[in-house]
Amino acid sequence: MSQNKYMHPRNIYKNPPNFKELAILYPEFRKYAKQDITGKMTIDFKNQEALRSLTTTLLHKDFGLQVGIPPNRLVPTLPLRLNYLLWIEDLIQTAACSKEQIKGVDIGTGASCIYPLLAAKTKKWKMLATELDLESANFARKNVESNCLQDDVTVKIVEEGTILKGALDEDCVYSFTMCNPPFFSNEKETDSCNKSRTGTRTLPHNGKTGSLTEVVVSGGEVAFIKQMIEESGSLRNTVRVYTTMVGHKSSLKCLKSELEKIGASSFTHTEFCQGHTTRWGLAWTFLPEIRLEAVPTNRRKEKPPMKYVVPVPDDPLSYTVGAVTCNLKALFSQLQIKYKELKRKENLIVLEISAHKNTWSHQRRKRRERKNLAQQTPEKNKFDETVIVSTQEGLCTEIKSNSDLVPTDLTKSSHDFESCKRKNDGLTSSYENNNNKRVKPDVREVLQTNTGQTCSVHVSSENTSKLGNDSLKLEKPKDASCQKEDEKNNNSELSLAIQGPSYVDMQAEETLILKTMVSVRRVTTEIHIEMAWLEGSSGRDAVHQVLQYVKNNLK
């Protein structure tokens, strides 16, 4: 889903550009524009040349900038760059330095020199642009010169590993720094197909652009920004407000921790939402008079958790957080939902639940099926099968049913078998029903005999006519070590047989369809159950369904 509505309020691309108009005005762009069956004009966003043409066309049409972007270099997305610049403008206003000449620093400007060009052209700011790649630095200088902005933008080549120290003039005071750091630690991470994605999250719409030096750095963005934070601690008030873009939301927590350690006076972050992409901005300062927390942030409001107020039962003494949680855990167990207790206090218990299979839907139909099954007259199912029983002593027993009806539940008792004769050779055993048909053993269960011995029973539902005249054999008893190994294997087979296909399917299923945070808390005299969706291919609808199941079944 497009996130244009979450763009910065002053971003001109909240309303997408008119591709049809661009195709008419710019023949170079027209080569990549195509019309779909609805008449809408669009481009192939996975085509690098089409992306390059779109960016250069928009820069010229909307900002009057002539920009060249060489092949194999990063193609900047304008909506994201504008979101970042507009946020910095908000920070500068909070830092109360808008009346003086604004001096900014773009760390790693790239071949397009996009941030300094936009800042100088639209804001009249003075910019220092640093770059370690010689080819990119030369292209950046050409772009500055072709737009006659040499007095406002200075491109400086720095050595590898240089971020702030060695790039900034420490005798000068800068209003801000900005940076679009390499997000990845190795080339493999740049491939979206290698990333963990939920079933509802689509692959990126845009094709990859940029050289490895622009998108990959040792240690990834966290190591890069940590070095930037460390160097800012040395420079401190040389820059009024330090900022950087962050590519992964998970990086924010550890980066904020580093800012606390280094003694930043204040820091804040925001979201940059555009198209189908989200990035984050992080800002900090060492000046106590600047309170960055006051800057408006463009963060999407998280959807509130779904809530259910548990009614008071007949016994008020059982109306406690612990008792309700205990009943809730029992329901989750019935649904084969895994739960983990994260926090326990007197009036609050927090669980994390996860499910790999939908077991909560169609409950009305399942109740109806159970009711119909209970009303039916119990009937014995027909078995054309052979049963093989081997005791621990190595004796074999031949069981022959005098009826062609054998109970389906063989675990209850051995009384269902009326004729039994022992053979002392311990080698083979065969069983026949009244139809004298042999069958292939395929399921193992456990049978408790009258003498208390546990026998291993093989049951078959197939006709041995498929097997021809193959004989059924049992091996002689093995030594103790082999018996232990057999018992281990038998227990595994028995577990699968008892659990049934649903258990096997659940084990094989790897897709996480639901992960939810569940809170049971006391609010004044009431007990509330709250469920907040975390992730899963079934989305938030599954949370609503599980909560509805809880409402219907919680006792």
Side-chain angles (χ1 to χ4, degrees):
M1 180 184 70
S2 178
Q3 304 180 94
N4 288 358
K5 63 181 180 180
Y6 299 113
M7 283 188 187
H8 192 283
R10 299 194 300 276
N11 195 320
I12 63 173
Y13 296 116
K14 280 181 74 95
N15 296 317
N18 188 329
F19 284 2
K20 186 174 183 179
E21 180 185 357
L22 292 177
I24 294 172
L25 295 175
Y26 295 90
E28 181 64 26
F29 176 76
R30 192 183 310 150
K31 295 190 303 185
Y32 304 101
K34 56 185 179 180
Q35 198 171 32
D36 60 21
I37 57 175
T38 64
K40 181 180 178 182
M41 192 73 73
T42 184
I43 65 169
D44 180 6
F45 285 91
K46 295 190 180 299
N47 185 331
Q48 292 188 20
E49 295 301 322
L51 289 177
R52 186 176 291 105
S53 178
L54 173 63
T55 298
T56 55
T57 299
L58 290 175
L59 282 170
H60 184 267
K61 176 181 178 295
D62 295 329
F63 305 100
L65 289 169
Q66 296 279 358
V67 178
I69 304 174
N72 302 321
R73 287 297 184 267
L74 192 67
V75 178
T77 52
L78 276 180
L80 173 59
R81 270 55 182 181
L82 277 181
N83 274 338
Y84 193 1
L85 272 178
L86 292 169
W87 180 58
I88 287 179
E89 190 175 33
D90 295 338
L91 293 171
I92 289 173
Q93 291 176 356
T94 301
C97 57
S98 56
K99 293 182 180 179
E100 61 189 51
Q101 176 63 62
I102 305 300
K103 298 177 184 177
V105 182
D106 179 24
I107 303 164
T109 193
S112 65
C113 200
I114 184 70
Y115 287 123
L117 291 178
L118 286 172
K121 186 75 173 181
T122 64
K123 311 295 180 186
K124 307 301 180 185
W125 296 345
K126 300 288 185 180
M127 295 294 296
L128 170 64
T130 69
E131 178 57 53
L132 62 87
D133 182 73
L134 182 59
E135 183 180 353
S136 295
N138 289 334
F139 263 97
R141 286 188 176 127
K142 289 179 182 178
N143 284 326
V144 171
E145 293 170 0
S146 63
N147 290 282
C148 302
L149 293 172
Q150 300 93 316
D151 294 338
D152 299 316
V153 179
T154 302
V155 178
K156 182 178 182 179
I157 299 176
V158 297
E159 295 180 358
E160 185 174 355
T162 301
I163 299 180
L164 294 175
K165 296 192 71 174
L168 275 61
D169 182 359
E170 297 187 27
D171 294 330
C172 179
V173 176
Y174 298 91
S175 306
F176 68 91
T177 64
M178 64 189 308
C179 179
N180 186 11
F183 295 147
F184 309 106
S185 60
N186 55 65
E187 187 176 0
K188 185 178 179 181
E189 288 184 0
T190 65
D191 188 354
S192 302
C193 297
N194 294 323
K195 298 177 184 177
S196 175
R197 310 178 80 88
T198 62
T200 56
R201 187 182 175 192
T202 59
L203 290 173
H205 289 66
N206 286 15
K208 292 191 301 180
T209 64
S211 64
L212 282 181
T213 57
E214 292 178 297
V215 297
V216 174
V217 67
S218 178
E221 67 176 2
V222 171
F224 187 93
I225 299 174
K226 277 186 176 180
Q227 181 183 341
M228 186 190 303
I229 292 173
E230 182 181 344
E231 292 183 8
S232 72
S234 300
L235 296 171
R236 300 187 76 82
N237 298 343
T238 302
V239 179
R240 294 179 67 85
V241 180
Y242 298 87
T243 77
T244 183
M245 190 185 294
V246 180
H248 304 96
K249 188 178 182 180
S250 57
S251 302
L252 287 173
K253 185 176 181 180
C254 64
L255 294 176
K256 287 183 175 181
S257 178
E258 289 297 315
L259 291 172
E260 290 177 349
K261 291 178 185 177
I262 209 163
S265 296
S266 66
F267 52 84
T268 187
H269 81 274
T270 191
E271 278 186 345
F272 303 135
C273 302
Q274 51 283 313
H276 298 268
T277 304
T278 302
R279 295 288 182 257
W280 292 264
L282 180 64
W284 66 98
T285 184
F286 295 96
L287 295 170
E289 65 269 20
I290 300 176
R291 305 309 303 171
L292 296 178
E293 298 89 342
V295 180
T297 58
N298 188 36
R299 302 177 197 167
R300 289 170 295 175
K301 294 182 179 179
E302 295 291 337
K303 292 187 177 181
M306 300 180 186
K307 185 173 67 175
Y308 168 55
V309 180
V310 182
V312 181
D314 296 334
D315 182 11
L317 296 178
S318 64
Y319 194 63
T320 65
V321 171
V324 171
T325 304
C326 186
N327 294 335
L328 201 57
K329 289 179 178 179
L331 288 181
F332 292 150
S333 297
Q334 291 176 14
L335 294 174
Q336 299 177 358
I337 294 177
K338 296 179 182 180
Y339 59 84
K340 177 172 63 176
E341 190 169 303
L342 302 180
K343 184 186 296 185
R344 176 177 283 268
K345 294 183 179 180
E346 182 179 358
N347 293 319
L348 172 66
I349 296 177
V350 180
L351 306 175
E352 183 184 270
I353 66 172
S354 58
H356 294 267
K357 184 178 180 182
N358 185 340
T359 56
W360 50 83
S361 297
H362 309 299
Q363 289 299 317
R364 182 178 298 176
R365 186 182 68 187
K366 292 175 182 178
R367 287 194 298 269
R368 186 166 58 247
E369 290 174 351
R370 288 195 296 268
K371 182 178 179 181
N372 294 339
L373 187 62
Q375 291 175 349
Q376 292 176 358
T377 304
E379 295 182 359
K380 296 181 178 181
N381 297 325
K382 291 186 177 182
F383 272 71
D384 280 340
E385 58 191 18
T386 299
V387 181
I388 301 176
V389 180
S390 61
T391 65
Q392 294 177 355
E393 290 82 358
L395 299 177
C396 292
T397 305
E398 180 178 354
I399 302 176
K400 183 177 182 181
S401 169
N402 64 349
S403 169
D404 61 346
L405 295 178
V406 182
T408 58
D409 187 359
L410 297 178
T411 64
K412 294 181 180 179
S413 171
S414 63
H415 291 296
D416 299 303
F417 303 102
E418 297 184 358
S419 63
C420 175
K421 58 183 180 179
R422 299 181 179 274
K423 292 184 179 181
N424 295 327
D425 56 7
L427 294 176
T428 60
S429 179
S430 63
Y431 304 90
E432 299 177 353
N433 60 12
N434 287 345
N435 296 327
N436 295 324
K437 293 180 180 178
R438 293 180 181 273
V439 291
K440 177 184 177 181
D442 57 5
V443 180
R444 174 171 296 187
E445 298 192 19
V446 172
L447 176 65
Q448 189 74 21
T449 65
N450 292 333
T451 60
Q453 294 177 324
T454 301
C455 301
S456 175
V457 182
H458 294 263
V459 184
S460 172
S461 59
E462 297 182 12
N463 207 315
T464 52
S465 60
K466 301 177 183 178
L467 303 177
N469 296 322
D470 293 344
S471 60
L472 305 177
K473 296 183 179 181
L474 292 177
E475 296 181 359
K476 286 188 176 182
K478 303 176 181 178
D479 56 33
S481 62
C482 292
Q483 282 186 342
K484 288 183 179 179
E485 186 64 28
D486 286 349
E487 288 174 5
K488 181 179 178 181
N489 294 335
N490 292 349
N491 290 338
S492 176
E493 293 176 14
L494 174 61
S495 174
L496 292 177
I498 292 175
Q499 295 288 350
S502 61
Y503 174 81
V504 178
D505 293 344
M506 185 178 69
Q507 291 295 97
E509 182 61 62
E510 295 181 353
T511 303
L512 180 69
I513 67 170
L514 178 64
K515 188 174 183 180
T516 300
M517 194 74 71
V518 181
S519 302
V520 183
R521 67 175 75 240
R522 179 176 288 278
V523 181
T524 61
T525 60
E526 299 176 335
I527 293 180
H528 295 184
I529 296 175
E530 296 178 351
M531 292 188 178
W533 181 82
L534 297 177
E535 60 178 306
S537 59
S538 294
R540 288 178 172 82
D541 289 342
V543 180
H544 174 75
Q545 294 166 3
V546 173
L547 187 60
Q548 190 62 45
Y549 180 90
V550 169
K551 290 180 182 180
N552 295 337
N553 295 275
L554 189 65
K555 304 299 182 183

